[in-house]
Amino acid sequence: MYIILLGAPGAGKGTQAALLSEKRKLTHVATGDLFRQALEKGDELGLKAKSYMEKGKLVPDEITIQMVLNRLAAPDCKSGVLLDGFPRNLEQAKVLDKALAQQDKAIDKAVYIKVSEGELLKRLSGRWICRNCQTPYHEVTSPPKARGKCDKCGGELYQRPDDTVETVKKRLEVYFAQTAPLIEYYTGAGKLLEVSGEGSPEEIYGRIVSALKPKK
Ligand code: AMP
């Protein structure tokens, strides 16, 4: 099974992907995490992506697509994948469809998590993430039990450098211009499932699970 999580930065894709991948035994592939890990290791890929990420811009397709196709070829992706943060424009969506078709595979569903712009800004500005396991927290709505420490693994929490007000605005602008058209693309393909991304993570997860249930 191949599921795409679509939605603006701050819509809760990472949180929902963590819940879904655990319960459905799907491998979570998050392009933002792959870039950040490469950067942390000092890999060439991370260094190439750094300047785009800092500005809230998309990393060029030739870099991103190759990275994702390599990741999808790994053994842990054979039985199913949850894509988070990819595709982010029409070109990426078309290349992905083509690459999967060559292996007689296809995207099953694209789950669009819809959140208002005001709410997105609020969420991104208070976000903290575990450096070790990437679990997201929010200062106000979902704080960790101990300040600066991940509830799940005890890892150190940090604020992403691209979660500053200016970069967040740019990321949202890029989302509406380049990524939002994918909603139409997957609607046209009969694969889009839209769920409200407002409410608690558990409520949103429940909506996603019921949207994914096969309709009789
Ligand atoms: P995210 O963690 O998904 O918010 O992604 C953080 C940053 O990584 C984005 O602002 C982009 O600079 C880059 N990025 C992540 N996914 C993609 C993608 N599919 N295409 C291009 N750039 C990406």
Side-chain angles (χ1 to χ4, degrees):
M1 189 155 205
Y2 285 80
I3 297 176
I4 291 171
L5 285 184
L6 272 181
K13 299 188 297 296
T15 305
Q16 295 305 322
L19 289 169
L20 272 167
S21 60
E22 194 183 298
K23 301 205 170 146
R24 297 228 161 184
K25 305 277 172 273
L26 295 167
T27 298
H28 178 192
V29 174
T31 38
D33 288 347
L34 293 177
F35 284 133
R36 281 183 289 276
Q37 281 155 11
L39 188 58
E40 206 142 287
K41 283 197 243 154
D43 288 355
E44 198 191 334
L45 174 74
L47 299 176
K48 278 189 191 159
K50 186 172 185 260
S51 64
Y52 299 96
M53 295 173 81
E54 279 171 356
K55 295 187 193 100
K57 291 183 176 174
L58 292 188
V59 177
D61 282 350
E62 60 269 24
I63 300 174
T64 309
I65 290 172
Q66 200 46 55
M67 173 183 78
V68 173
L69 296 183
N70 287 345
R71 180 67 189 89
L72 292 180
D76 65 335
C77 288
K78 292 280 172 285
S79 53
V81 174
L82 195 58
L83 278 164
D84 161 10
F86 186 91
R88 258 204 173 65
N89 60 29
L90 277 173
E91 177 60 20
Q92 293 180 3
K94 288 178 184 166
V95 173
L96 176 65
D97 279 347
K98 230 177 171 177
L100 289 177
Q102 280 169 359
Q103 307 166 38
D104 284 326
K105 290 177 179 158
I107 295 299
D108 295 281
K109 294 288 173 199
V111 178
Y112 167 41
I113 307 176
K114 189 177 181 181
V115 174
S116 72
E117 205 175 334
E119 175 69 17
L120 292 171
L121 280 168
K122 233 190 298 171
R123 287 186 189 179
L124 289 167
S125 58
R127 184 159 77 167
W128 289 79
I129 293 169
C130 174
R131 211 177 270 289
N132 180 45
C133 72
Q134 271 72 48
T135 298
Y137 295 87
H138 190 277
E139 275 169 14
V140 181
T141 54
S142 56
K145 290 192 186 96
R147 198 176 163 76
K149 230 176 173 194
C150 178
D151 294 352
K152 283 195 190 154
C153 72
E156 178 205 2
L157 302 187
Y158 80 110
Q159 283 200 294
R160 277 173 47 171
D162 59 349
D163 276 350
T164 58
V165 176
E166 269 321 297
T167 315
V168 162
K169 280 191 186 148
K170 180 69 195 170
R171 286 163 62 207
L172 289 176
E173 204 181 293
V174 167
Y175 168 77
F176 286 112
Q178 300 192 49
T179 311
L182 293 180
I183 295 164
E184 211 171 302
Y185 180 78
Y186 289 111
T187 303
K191 295 182 177 174
L192 195 89
L193 300 171
E194 181 178 315
V195 297
S196 162
E198 316 243 351
S200 70
E202 293 72 27
E203 281 166 346
I204 301 161
Y205 178 69
R207 284 178 208 138
I208 295 177
V209 169
S210 74
L212 282 171
K213 275 203 184 117
K215 303 282 173 289
K216 284 172 201 147

